C-alpha cells in the first residue's frame, strides 16, 4: 500500500513528503497533525522554503546536514525550528551522548559571560532524554545556552552568588548557595526572562541552607514516574541535616532521607551530605560528606534505597585515613569512585558485590592508581585535602586535577581475576589551551578548574577568575 503523500506550500514553494515523516516532528509540532493533501490543494505553511528544506531533510534522515565550514546551525535555522516546534529534537541530534569520546575531546569554544563576576558553577542537561542545554551561574545570574550554543536566556535569582546548580530540564535549573536558605527554581522560556520567586525548603527548617543537589531527570524512585530533585539541607544553626526529595512536577516534598541531629559537641555524628548522585539503574542515591577537625578529616559515604527505607542506608562507610576529596557513582560501570584527599589517588568500589548477600565489606575500596603512594599517604597521617574533583559520565571516570582533566576508562573484565574491573588512565587533550582575553597571545588558560559538567557529546568547565565557559567537544561527533 502506497504511503499517503502530503503536499506542502512553504512560502510559495511546493514540498512533498509522507505523514509518517512529518509525525517524527513530535506531537507538539503543528507538522505532525498534517494529513494527506494533493498538489492542487496543498497545506500552506508560512516559512522560509530554504530553511524548511533542511528541516524536512532532518526529519527524513534523523540528523542535521550542515554546510562545510558551518559548525552549528545558524540563528535563522534555529528560529525556523522553533517556529515549527522542532528545536528540541534538532538540538538533541547535535550532541548525542553516543558520540561522546573522551580521548577526542578538544577545546572548541569559549563562551564569554556578561558582568563582572566570574562563573562559579556550570550544569548540562543530560541527553537523552533532553538536549544538552548548558546552564552557567555567575553572581546571582543563571544563563542558559542551547545545544548549538547559539541561543541564550538569563534568569536573575535572589542569591548573591550560586554555589550549587542542577539542570532538571531544558526549561528548569535549580540553584542554591551557602548560607542562603532554600533551593531556588530558575524557569526559562524562549520569549522572555523571568525572576525566580519559587523556593524549595526543608519543611522542618525553612531557613536551612542547601549543601548539594541531584535529580533523577527521568523517573523518580520506586513507582514514582515524575522527575525528583534530591536536595541536602543543613539547618541555620547547623545542628541538624537531612536530604529531602521533591516531586518536580508538583514541587512538593515527598520524602525526608537520613535526618541527622548533632548532640553536644559530637559534630561528626551528623556530617551533612555535600555530594549527591542518583544511580537510576540501581535505584540508589549516593550521599557523601566530610568534616575537617583537629584530628583530621572524617567522611561518611552512604547508599540509600529510598524505596525500602528513608532512615537506614543499604550501605555506609566512615572514612578517616585518606578520606575522600570527592566521590562519584557510575551506573554504567556499577561502581563507586573516589579520589583520596591525602594521596590524590583514585579508588573504586564494585557495586556488584552488594548482590552477594553480605554487601560490600568494611574496606571496599581498591586503588586503581598508585597503591604504594596511597598507602604511604595514609600511613603518614596527612590531614590536608586537595582540590581534586571526580565525576562519572557514560563509561568513563574523570578527575579534575587543578588545571587539567584525567580520564579513566575500562579496559576489560578479566574472568581469570574473578571479574575484577581493569581501568586505564589517560588525559583529556594535551591540557587545556584557550586564548584568554586580556592575556598575551598564546597564553595558556591554566587557571584552576572550579566547576565542570558533562552532557551529550561535550564537556563544559569554568576556571577560577575567568569570565567565560570552556566548551570541549568530541571530534567524533558526526553532524
Amino acid at each position: 500500500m502506497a504511503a499517503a503523500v502530503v503536499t506542502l506550500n512553504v512560502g510559495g514553494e511546493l514540498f512533498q513528503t509522507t505523514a509518517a515523516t512529518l509525525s517524527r516532528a513530535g506531537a507538539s509540532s503543528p507538522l505532525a497533525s498534517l494529513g494527506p493533501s494533493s498538489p492542487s490543494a496543498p497545506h500552506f505553511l508560512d516559512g522560509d522554503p530554504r530553511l524548511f528544506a533542511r528541516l524536512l531533510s532532518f526529519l527524513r534522515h534523523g540528523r542535521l546536514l550542515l554546510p562545510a565550514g558551518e559548525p552549528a546551525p545558524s540563528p535563522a535555522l534555529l528560529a525556523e525550528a522553533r517556529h515549527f516546534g522542532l528545536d528540541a529534537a534538532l538540538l538533541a541530534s547535535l550532541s548525542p551522548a553516543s558520540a561522546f569520546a573522551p580521548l577526542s575531546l578538544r577545546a572548541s569554544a569559549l563562551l564569554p559571560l556578561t558582568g563582572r563576576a566570574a562563573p562559579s558553577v556550570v550544569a548540562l542537561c543530560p541527553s537523552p532524554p533532553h538536549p544538552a542545554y548548558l546552564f552557567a551561574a555567575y553572581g546571582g545570574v543563571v544563563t542558559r545556552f542551547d545545544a548549538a550554543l547559539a541561543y541564550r536566556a538569563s534568569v536573575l535569582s535572589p542569591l548573591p552568588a550560586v554555589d550549587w546548580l542542577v539542570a532538571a530540564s531544558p526549561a528548569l535549573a535549580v540553584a542554591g548557595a551557602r548560607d542562603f536558605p532554600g533551593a531556588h527554581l530558575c524557569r526559562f522560556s524562549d520569549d522572555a526572562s523571568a525572576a525566580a520567586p519559587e523556593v524549595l525548603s526543608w519543611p522542618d527548617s525553612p531557613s536551612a541552607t542547601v549543601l548539594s543537589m541531584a535529580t533523577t531527570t527521568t523517573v523518580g524512585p520506586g513507582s514514582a514516574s515524575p522527575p525528583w530533585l534530591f536536595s541536602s539541607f543543613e539547618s541555620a544553626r547547623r545542628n541538624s541535616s537531612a536530604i529531602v526529595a521533591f516531586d518536580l512536577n508538583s514541587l512538593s516534598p515527598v520524602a525526608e532521607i537520613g535526618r541527622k541531629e548533632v548532640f553536644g559537641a559530637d559534630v561528626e555524628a551528623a556530617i551533612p551530605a555535600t555530594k549527591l548522585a542518583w544511580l537510576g539503574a540501581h535505584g540508589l542515591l549516593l550521599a557523601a560528606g566530610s568534616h575537617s577537625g583537629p584530628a583530621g578529616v572524617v567522611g561518611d559515604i552512604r547508599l540509600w534505597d529510598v524505596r525500602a527505607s528513608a532512615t537506614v542506608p543499604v550501605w555506609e562507610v566512615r572514612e578517616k585515613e585518606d578520606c575522600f576529596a570527592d566521590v562519584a557513582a557510575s551506573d554504567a560501570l556499577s561502581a563507586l569512585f573516589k579520589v583520596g584527599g591525602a594521596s590524590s589517588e583514585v579508588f573504586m568500589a564494585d557495586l556488584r558485590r552488594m548482590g552477594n548477600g553480605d554487601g560490600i565489606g568494611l574496606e571496599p575500596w581498591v586503588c586503581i592508581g598508585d597503591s604504594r603512594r596511597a598507602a604511604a599517604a595514609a600511613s603518614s597521617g596527612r590531614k590536608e585535602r586537595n582540590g581534586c574533583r571526580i565525576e562519572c559520565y557514560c563509561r568513563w571516570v574523570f578527575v579534575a586535577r587543578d588545571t587539567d582533566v584525567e580520564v579513566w576508562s575500562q579496559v576489560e573484565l578479566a574472568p581469570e581475576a574473578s571479574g575484577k574491573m581493569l581501568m586505564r588512565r589517560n588525559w583529556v587533550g594535551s591540557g587545556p589551551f584557550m586564548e584568554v582575553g586580556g592575556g598575551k597571545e598564546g597564553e595558556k588558560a591554566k587557571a584552576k578548574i572550579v566547576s565542570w559538567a558533562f552532557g551529550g557529546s561535550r564537556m563544559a568547565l569554568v576556571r577560577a577568575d575567568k569570565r567565560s565557559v570552556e566548551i570541549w567537544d568530541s571530534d567524533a561527533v558526526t553532524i
Side-chain angles (χ1 to χ4, degrees), residues 32-403:
S33 62
L34 298 179
S37 58
S38 65
S40 59
H43 296 290
F44 177 77
L45 299 177
D46 186 12
D48 186 323
R50 296 171 302 172
L51 298 175
F52 184 81
R54 297 176 64 184
L55 296 180
L56 187 58
S57 174
F58 166 69
L59 292 178
R60 286 172 177 150
H61 305 292
R63 62 191 183 98
L64 183 65
L65 301 176
L66 292 174
E70 185 179 317
S74 66
L77 182 60
L78 288 173
E80 195 78 357
R82 282 193 293 272
H83 176 64
F84 291 112
L86 285 172
D87 54 324
L90 184 149
L91 292 174
S93 73
L94 295 179
S95 105
S98 59
F100 184 78
L103 299 184
S104 297
L105 283 171
R106 297 291 183 270
S108 60
L110 194 64
L111 303 180
L113 299 174
T114 58
R116 298 181 179 179
S120 56
V121 61
V122 289
L124 274 162
C125 195
S127 175
H130 302 302
Y133 278 75
L134 168 70
F135 297 85
Y138 49 102
V141 178
V142 179
T143 294
R144 182 192 69 174
F145 298 85
D146 62 28
L149 307 177
Y151 181 79
R152 69 169 70 187
S154 296
V155 166
L156 177 63
S157 79
L159 301 171
V162 176
D163 299 307
W164 316 102
L165 188 65
V166 165
S169 74
L172 176 65
V174 188
R178 297 181 182 90
D179 300 323
F180 287 86
H184 297 253
L185 303 182
C186 301
R187 297 189 181 277
F188 293 82
S189 62
D190 291 335
D191 53 0
S193 299
E198 298 170 278
V199 180
L200 302 181
S201 301
W202 184 11
D204 285 351
S205 181
S207 60
T209 299
V210 175
L211 296 177
S212 183
M213 293 181 288
T215 180
T216 62
T217 68
T218 51
V219 294
S223 59
S225 57
W228 283 30
L229 171 76
F230 297 101
S231 185
S232 174
F233 288 96
E234 185 178 47
S235 65
R237 296 178 59 191
R238 297 185 176 177
N239 60 353
S240 61
S241 62
I243 301 167
V244 180
F246 296 91
D247 184 327
L248 281 176
N249 284 344
S250 64
L251 301 180
S252 59
V254 291
E256 182 184 85
I257 306 163
R259 184 184 180 115
K260 303 176 187 177
E261 303 283 349
V262 175
F263 298 99
D266 188 14
V267 295
E268 293 181 0
I271 299 175
T274 54
K275 179 68 176 283
L276 299 176
W278 173 248
L279 291 102
H282 296 78
L284 296 175
L285 175 68
L286 167 69
S290 60
H291 169 75
S292 181
V297 183
V298 177
D300 289 328
I301 303 175
R302 292 178 168 89
L303 288 175
W304 296 89
D305 183 349
V306 295
R307 299 165 298 182
S309 174
T311 57
V312 180
V314 296
W315 174 75
E316 62 181 324
V317 65
R318 167 64 62 93
E319 298 207 328
K320 292 185 178 180
E321 295 183 354
D322 198 14
C323 180
F324 59 88
D326 197 10
V327 185
S330 173
D331 251 338
L333 298 174
S334 294
L336 304 182
F337 294 87
K338 74 167 186 176
V339 56
S343 66
S344 299
E345 294 300 324
V346 179
F347 297 78
M348 179 182 66
D350 195 339
L351 290 177
R352 296 171 301 168
R353 294 174 55 191
M354 294 186 67
N356 296 335
D358 55 355
I360 295 179
L362 296 178
E363 296 294 335
W365 299 109
V366 175
C367 181
I368 60 175
D370 189 333
S371 57
R372 289 180 296 179
R373 178 179 174 182
S379 62
S380 68
R382 291 170 57 186
K383 300 178 182 180
E384 69 273 14
R385 285 185 284 184
N386 58 56
C388 293
R389 299 169 179 268
I390 190 167
E391 199 58 70
C392 299
Y393 184 61
C394 297
R395 301 188 64 84
W396 295 278
V397 181
F398 298 85
V399 181
R401 297 192 181 277
D402 195 25
T403 61

